[in-house]
């Protein structure tokens, strides 16, 4: 990597850190130096919080949203490829050393559906993603899912059930492959 590019990434990282500190103050805990490229959008509603461990690497755009009273935790050395979206209404925890491919959506809630159709009311369940998990391209992870350490989620999958540690799953909905 050229020196100028490293300097640019350093300045960009400091800019995002300062911006989030000014807007959200101590509701955001994040290291100053990360590798954030492309768009990086954070939206925290009232009483929500965001923790980002050491060295988040993002190829952008990356969208992080927490509704009221929600908690989003992203561990150390996490990589997010292009166009990832994490929306938290209760609690989402992503462990250390995770790799998240492009177009991944992680959402810990659904809208309540009644006879008249979907409502603005939400039903929520915590999502926990273990350490060293690899999430393939175009994956959707739904509410209440726990993914064990070292698991691999195949591309184009929809995760609606827990995933065992060190297993490989794929499909819609996911099934154990290995």
């Amino acid at each position: 990597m050229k020196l100028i590019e490293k300097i640019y990434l350093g300045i960009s990282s400091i800019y995002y850190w300062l911006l989030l500190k000014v807007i959200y103050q101590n509701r955001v805990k994040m290291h100053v130096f990360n590798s954030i490229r492309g768009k990086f959008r954070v939206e925290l509603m009232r009483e929500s919080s965001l923790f980002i461990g050491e060295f988040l690497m993002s190829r952008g755009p990356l969208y992080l949203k927490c509704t009221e009273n929600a908690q989003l935790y992203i561990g150390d050395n996490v990589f997010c490829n292009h166009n990832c979206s994490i929306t938290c209404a209760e609690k989402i925890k992503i462990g250390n050393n995770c790799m998240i491919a492009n177009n991944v959506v992680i959402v810990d809630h659904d809208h309540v559906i009644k006879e008249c159709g979907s409502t603005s009311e939400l039903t929520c369940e915590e999502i926990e993603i273990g350490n060293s998990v690899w999430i393939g391209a175009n994956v959707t992870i739904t509410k209440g899912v726990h993914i064990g350490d070292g698991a691999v989620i195949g591309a184009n999958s929809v995760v609606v059930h827990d995933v065992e540690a060190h297993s490989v799953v794929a499909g819609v909905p996911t099934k154990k492959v290995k």
Side-chain angles (χ1 to χ4, degrees):
M1 187 184 302
K2 295 180 182 177
L3 180 61
I4 292 174
E5 189 176 355
K6 286 182 180 180
I7 291 170
Y8 172 77
L9 283 174
I11 291 169
S12 175
S13 181
I14 293 169
Y15 165 77
Y16 284 122
W17 181 81
L18 281 171
L19 182 66
L20 293 175
K21 285 296 181 181
V22 167
I23 295 171
Y24 299 114
Q25 296 154 5
N26 31 345
R27 292 194 296 141
V28 172
K29 297 201 180 356
M30 173 179 176
H31 286 267
V32 176
F33 292 106
N34 294 286
S35 180
I36 299 170
R37 299 173 187 202
K39 289 184 178 182
F40 178 64
R41 181 162 180 218
V42 173
E43 185 179 347
L44 300 181
M45 298 175 110
R46 191 171 49 91
E47 304 299 319
S48 61
S49 62
L50 170 65
F51 174 88
I52 297 175
E54 289 185 34
F55 204 70
L56 171 67
M57 180 184 269
S58 169
R59 299 298 287 176
L62 174 59
Y63 178 67
L64 307 175
K65 179 180 180 181
C66 293
T67 63
E68 292 182 11
N69 301 308
Q71 299 174 352
L72 175 55
Y73 176 94
I74 300 173
D76 299 336
N77 303 310
V78 172
F79 171 75
C80 295
N81 211 333
H82 301 283
N83 201 36
C84 292
S85 175
I86 303 171
T87 307
C88 181
E90 186 173 284
K91 186 175 185 181
I92 297 175
K93 182 178 180 200
I94 299 172
N96 300 326
N97 306 307
C98 290
M99 296 183 296
I100 302 172
N102 52 306
N103 303 315
V104 169
V105 175
I106 302 172
V107 182
D108 71 347
H109 60 279
D110 284 327
H111 288 269
V112 173
I113 298 174
K114 296 185 178 177
E115 288 180 19
C116 60
S118 86
T119 67
S120 61
E121 183 182 351
L122 300 177
T123 175
C124 308
E125 289 181 52
E126 176 182 330
I127 292 174
E128 186 170 343
I129 299 171
N131 298 318
S132 303
V133 171
W134 179 14
I135 301 169
N138 305 309
V139 167
T140 299
I141 298 174
T142 63
K143 70 178 184 173
V145 169
H146 292 247
I147 299 174
D149 294 344
V152 176
I153 313 299
N156 301 309
S157 296
V158 177
V159 184
V160 296
H161 301 290
D162 291 353
V163 176
E164 294 176 18
H166 308 288
S167 63
V168 178
V169 298
V172 180
T174 53
K175 292 185 174 110
K176 192 171 181 178
V177 175
K178 183 177 179 184

